[in-house]
Amino acid sequence: MSAILPGATLGVVGGGQLGRMLVHAAQRMGYLTAVLDPDADSPAGRVSHHHIHTDYTDIDGLARLAGLADAITTEFENVPAPSLEHLAVARPVRPGAAAVAIAQDRVREKSHFVSCGVDCAPYAVIETDEQMALVPPNLLPGILKTARLGYDGKGQQRVSDREELAAAWESAGQVPCVLEKLMPLDYECSVIVARGQDGQVVHFPPQRNLHRNGILAVTEVHAQNIPEAPARLAVNSAIAIAEGLQYVGVLCVEFFVLSDGSLVVNEMAPRPHNSGHWTLDACDVSQFELQVRTLAGLPLTAPRQHSPALMLNLLGDLWFPDVDTAGAPRGAQAPVEPRWADVLALPGAHLHLYGKAGARRGRKMGHLTLTGDDIEQVRSTADFAAALLGLPIPLSE
Ligand code: ATP
Ligand code: MG
């Protein structure tokens, strides 16, 4: 298939912040964009040329999207795979429904990792009472995760013994789950790869990630952040996982590095990822530009990181500080806007806000990337930014 050139329209199912940053990248390169999202005020819909607000399964909405767009992608992994199959009859859809369906289901996802020769944490599938009775004791303590529809730590429960496991499965409504052994994590990292239709693969350097309460809080990327052996293994594993799917698009693979130095894969996201947002400000080609290129069938070039980077996620909690500017406790009160002007006085501070109207605790409102000449300088600027914003310090584990 020949490339879809600027001037054409690129479509995306989903109107969140990932769609918004894709729309920005596409428009910068001269594409028109069409977003399908049921929310009339979605972050991506607000900045797109076309916004279709229907449900993701609405046949009429999908037909309108296919009528407007020359190629279509998605920005969140829980988009119904049948909708993608439906769109694929009319237009190129990248990544394809089959790959997205595997990433939506932890059971299928883990079998795919194993088939690619990449180790996961020990786990058991729990779909029936029999499987529950046969759970090996060495998986406890563990984390029970619903096979489908989990994100940001939702759909997960920590369990220490069989009784808690049974209660947790009960409270999850006995839907299909996996029980994963609780691993001794030294740290977490992720790798973003992009694979073109011709099989060409490029990747970003491995990103070191810190989660708080199951949500990504900090990503750091610089030359010494991950030792060479796990870094190389993570990159090779991510590429093998993409190739095993015959994947076309941007794929993020998350890993755990264990206390003995070994690496296991956690999960994958069939799209750009929160841990890759730093690429907008610290690389010559961002993860969103690579998404545009893979979608349009344009050549891929290996991205070059030109600056060390540290990204802070900005959750809605920042709008609800415990104390006011004079240090007095604030009760439950109206949200207050964080100190953006002070943050932007810091050198190498790049503020990204997603245009979401209502700040809520745990809601991803934006991110701040700090860049500079060396990682010490970047970290110290990040500490200042965190203090101004009321984020927990230190920023590393
Ligand atoms: P995401 O927002 O990344 O999609 P998620 O809800 O799919 O999140 P996971 O990535 O499976 O959840 O887990 C969230 C976090 O919980 C991990 O990044 C890690 O910090 C911790 N965690 C998950 N599984 C394990 C495990 N087996 N052992 C130890 N910690 C774990
Ligand atoms: Mg995760």
Side-chain angles (χ1 to χ4, degrees):
M1 236 202 71
S2 56
I4 295 165
L5 295 175
T9 301
L10 300 179
V12 55
V13 182
Q17 61 268 18
L18 298 175
R20 178 179 172 102
M21 290 182 270
L22 168 68
V23 163
H24 286 155
Q27 292 181 346
R28 195 189 60 159
M29 292 171 73
Y31 289 94
L32 304 180
T33 58
V35 168
L36 185 147
D37 190 282
D39 180 357
D41 194 25
S42 70
R46 286 172 74 159
V47 295
S48 176
H49 296 94
H50 304 280
H51 182 193
I52 301 158
H53 25 104
T54 64
D55 199 76
Y56 307 120
T57 53
D58 185 283
I59 296 295
D60 185 49
L62 293 169
R64 278 161 59 207
L65 181 64
L68 284 167
D70 297 282
I72 297 165
T73 190
T74 55
E75 62 105 44
F76 73 114
E77 66 243 53
N78 290 329
V79 55
S83 296
L84 298 183
E85 277 160 20
H86 188 82
L87 288 168
V89 173
R91 295 288 178 214
V93 173
R94 297 164 181 155
V100 174
I102 293 174
Q104 284 175 346
D105 184 326
R106 287 188 195 274
V107 178
R108 295 184 65 195
E109 180 180 58
K110 285 182 193 296
S111 334
H112 177 68
F113 294 153
V114 173
S115 76
C116 296
V118 181
D119 292 335
C120 343
Y123 72 100
V125 177
I126 302 182
E127 289 169 336
T128 63
D129 291 325
E130 292 70 42
Q131 286 171 326
M132 172 64 95
L134 290 173
V135 162
N138 71 322
L139 294 186
L140 293 164
I143 304 186
L144 184 74
K145 303 182 179 181
T146 57
R148 300 178 64 82
L149 300 175
Y151 69 99
D152 289 346
K154 295 189 177 69
Q156 303 200 2
Q157 301 180 68
R158 290 193 176 211
V159 293
S160 52
D161 54 33
R162 276 179 187 282
E163 229 166 78
E164 283 182 20
L165 173 62
W169 194 44
E170 182 80 39
S171 80
Q174 302 201 329
V175 293
C177 284
V178 296
L179 174 67
E180 260 178 56
K181 187 178 171 67
L182 185 65
M183 305 305 281
L185 308 190
D186 188 359
Y187 57 91
E188 297 184 60
C189 67
S190 56
V191 175
I192 292 171
V193 301
R195 186 171 180 277
Q197 217 184 359
D198 58 358
Q200 193 199 356
V201 181
V202 298
H203 66 88
F204 290 99
Q207 303 143 176
R208 187 160 171 157
N209 302 325
L210 171 69
H211 291 79
R212 291 201 174 98
N213 306 319
I215 306 180
L216 183 67
V218 183
T219 293
E220 244 190 81
V221 192
H222 58 95
Q224 298 86 35
N225 66 341
I226 299 173
E228 204 180 312
R232 198 173 336 109
L233 183 58
V235 168
N236 291 341
S237 301
I239 292 172
I241 288 165
E243 286 185 335
L245 290 165
Q246 290 295 297
Y247 192 84
V248 181
V250 171
L251 179 78
C252 178
V253 184
E254 294 182 69
F255 299 91
F256 299 145
V257 180
L258 307 182
S259 45
D260 65 1
S262 62
L263 183 93
V264 295
V265 61
N266 173 25
E267 60 172 359
M268 62 179 170
R271 49 170 172 78
H273 192 259
N274 197 166
S275 61
H277 290 354
W278 65 277
T279 63
L280 284 165
D281 301 301
C283 291
D284 56 358
V285 181
S286 75
Q287 61 169 348
F288 299 102
E289 177 167 341
L290 288 180
Q291 187 182 23
V292 170
R293 289 184 185 221
T294 54
L295 180 58
L298 292 170
L300 306 181
T301 57
R304 185 179 69 85
Q305 180 177 2
H306 51 69
S307 169
L310 192 156
M311 184 220 61
L312 301 174
N313 247 357
L314 306 175
L315 302 182
D317 306 55
L318 299 188
W319 277 251
F320 299 95
D322 296 332
V323 291
D324 66 18
T325 43
R330 297 170 80 246
Q333 284 179 33
V336 283
E337 201 62 23
R339 298 168 60 182
W340 304 132
D342 295 330
V343 167
L344 288 169
L346 299 171
H350 311 274
L351 179 64
H352 299 254
L353 292 171
Y354 308 143
K356 296 183 183 177
R360 286 195 308 271
R361 288 184 193 277
R363 188 176 197 204
K364 288 178 179 169
M365 301 297 288
H367 69 271
L368 181 76
T369 301
L370 292 314
T371 57
D373 287 335
D374 58 69
I375 190 60
E376 283 69 34
Q377 183 210 332
V378 169
R379 280 192 185 139
S380 90
T381 323
D383 282 339
F384 272 110
L388 287 168
L389 292 169
L391 283 166
I393 300 172
L395 294 169
S396 52
E397 289 116 306

